[in-house]
Amino acid sequence: MKVILPNFLEENYRLNKLGNLSICQYIQYEEQYKNEVFISTNILIFVIKGSKILHFKDEKIIANSKDILFLKSGNYIMSEMVDDYYEAILFMYDDTILLDFIKKYNLHFDGKKLLESNVCKIKKTLLFETLQSSILSYLKNTTFNQESIIKLKLEEAFLNILESTSKESFEAFLSSVLLNNFFKTKIEKEFDIDKNILLFAKEFNITDLAFRNKFKETFGTTPKKWQNRKKLEKAKLLLETTDYNVTQVCQQSGFDNISWFIQAFKKEYKITPKQIKNNKN
């Protein structure tokens, strides 16, 4: 079975959605075969009972009630339940939660090696056990300030990790999140239709190949396809809001070949540039 998190939990379990943070008390009774899971958001897991084996591309993690798992978004794993009962608390959140945490506590990561692994396994201490019990209490009893309290509990978990033996791995992960978002923000802010997007590789001081790999990891597509999509977005805007003809729009949007432009535009928007002009008129 293929599962996408957190979508699967939203459809099948009581998922508390709190802005850019979701939390769920996940309980699984029946034994299962391996599930293919795509993690579309960052996840912090407090394993309460039972065990699971998580198969990553290049490593295998066995997690039980003594563990907390920090999983990175955008990865496929194979999940395998070991026991016939499994229970866990799942915090699911996007990068903005981590970026806000970094900013709030003024964290610096100079010289930190980026975390290459997609998972960070943390051994529970008494502080984590106490935090886990506290979180369960708030999940079972709805309070007026539940959203704020749950967010503070996640922040408390982060702070406890920074005090644990997993501090170095967690800091490396935070550093990678910060770098990834700097990469994305710089490109989106400084991108120009007339600029060859591969010139950014020099600004990041990396090779063209490394830039392409990083770009695809960040944006989910190749630099060329992303740049062409941005050009087409500009073309559509010009067609809808100006008196430029199709040839002028083609040139203003950075395309050299009008035939290719018309073909690409129709493929993207299921309508030709001329049809948009006619509809506008």
Side-chain angles (χ1 to χ4, degrees):
M1 185 171 79
K2 292 185 179 180
V3 172
I4 300 177
L5 295 180
N7 304 43
F8 173 78
L9 298 173
E10 189 172 352
E11 296 168 359
N12 298 279
Y13 291 85
R14 184 185 173 188
L15 181 66
N16 294 298
K17 300 186 72 174
L18 312 170
N20 53 358
L21 163 68
S22 298
I23 186 170
C24 175
Q25 183 179 358
Y26 175 75
I27 299 175
Q28 190 174 335
Y29 297 98
E30 70 281 359
E31 197 173 344
Q32 66 170 194
Y33 295 103
K34 293 180 181 178
N35 277 342
E36 182 183 339
V37 181
F38 178 71
I39 304 171
S40 64
T41 187
N42 300 306
I43 303 180
L44 186 68
I45 302 174
F46 284 75
V47 182
I48 299 173
K49 293 180 181 177
S51 302
K52 273 200 175 184
I53 302 174
L54 303 181
H55 301 266
F56 292 82
K57 179 180 63 176
D58 49 8
E59 61 184 317
K60 180 176 76 173
I61 297 290
I62 301 175
N64 56 40
S65 59
K66 297 179 181 179
D67 300 317
I68 297 170
L69 296 179
F70 196 102
L71 304 180
K72 193 175 182 180
S73 65
N75 286 285
Y76 282 98
I77 64 172
M78 195 67 73
S79 174
E80 181 181 2
M81 198 163 102
V82 178
D83 306 309
D84 56 3
Y85 180 88
Y86 176 81
E87 182 179 354
I89 300 170
L90 278 67
F91 282 97
M92 291 152 285
Y93 47 92
D94 59 30
D95 283 354
T96 58
I97 293 280
L98 295 168
L99 293 170
D100 289 343
F101 177 76
I102 292 169
K103 183 178 179 181
K104 181 176 180 179
Y105 291 97
N106 195 27
L107 300 178
H108 298 282
F109 312 107
D110 295 339
K112 285 288 178 185
K113 182 181 178 182
L114 298 185
L115 185 64
E116 297 176 358
S117 175
N118 295 312
V119 58
C120 180
K121 185 176 175 181
I122 302 141
K123 284 296 177 186
K124 283 183 189 173
T125 62
L126 180 59
L127 287 175
F128 283 120
E129 295 282 0
T130 304
L131 175 59
Q132 177 178 292
S133 298
S134 176
I135 295 168
L136 285 173
S137 296
Y138 282 108
L139 286 177
K140 292 174 182 176
N141 301 288
T142 303
T143 63
F144 179 75
N145 294 313
Q146 187 179 40
E147 179 174 346
S148 298
I149 292 170
I150 292 298
K151 287 183 176 179
L152 286 172
K153 291 298 174 184
L154 179 59
E155 187 174 303
E156 184 179 343
F158 292 159
L159 290 171
N160 282 340
I161 295 173
L162 288 175
E163 295 294 327
S164 73
T165 54
S166 300
K167 175 183 177 180
E168 189 171 339
S169 296
F170 185 54
E171 285 186 338
F173 179 84
L174 291 176
S175 178
S176 70
V177 170
L178 192 61
L179 181 62
N180 285 342
N181 280 271
F182 172 73
F183 182 90
K184 185 173 186 290
T185 302
K186 180 178 175 65
I187 289 174
E188 290 178 336
K189 184 178 180 181
E190 299 180 12
F191 170 74
D192 189 283
I193 292 292
D194 298 321
K195 178 180 179 178
N196 184 340
I197 197 167
L198 291 179
L199 292 176
F200 276 109
K202 292 182 179 179
E203 298 182 31
F204 287 110
N205 196 28
I206 56 178
T207 65
D208 285 358
L209 178 59
F211 175 79
R212 287 191 181 95
N213 291 337
K214 179 70 175 175
F215 192 98
K216 190 166 186 179
E217 178 186 338
T218 303
F219 290 94
T221 188
T222 65
K224 185 177 181 180
K225 288 181 179 178
W226 186 87
Q227 185 167 24
N228 283 336
R229 191 174 298 137
K230 291 298 178 184
K231 289 181 178 182
L232 292 170
E233 287 174 5
K234 181 178 180 179
K236 187 171 184 289
L237 182 65
L238 291 175
L239 288 165
E240 293 173 338
T241 61
T242 73
D243 293 326
Y244 291 145
N245 60 39
V246 174
T247 301
Q248 289 172 318
V249 168
C250 174
Q251 294 169 344
Q252 291 289 329
S253 304
F255 293 100
D256 299 322
N257 187 308
I258 190 166
S259 297
W260 191 92
F261 162 65
I262 294 171
Q263 183 181 353
F265 191 95
K266 185 177 181 180
K267 183 177 180 181
E268 182 72 18
Y269 297 112
K270 314 304 178 189
I271 190 173
T272 66
K274 188 175 181 179
Q275 287 174 318
I276 287 185
K277 292 301 293 184
N278 290 341
N279 292 341
K280 177 176 178 287
N281 296 331

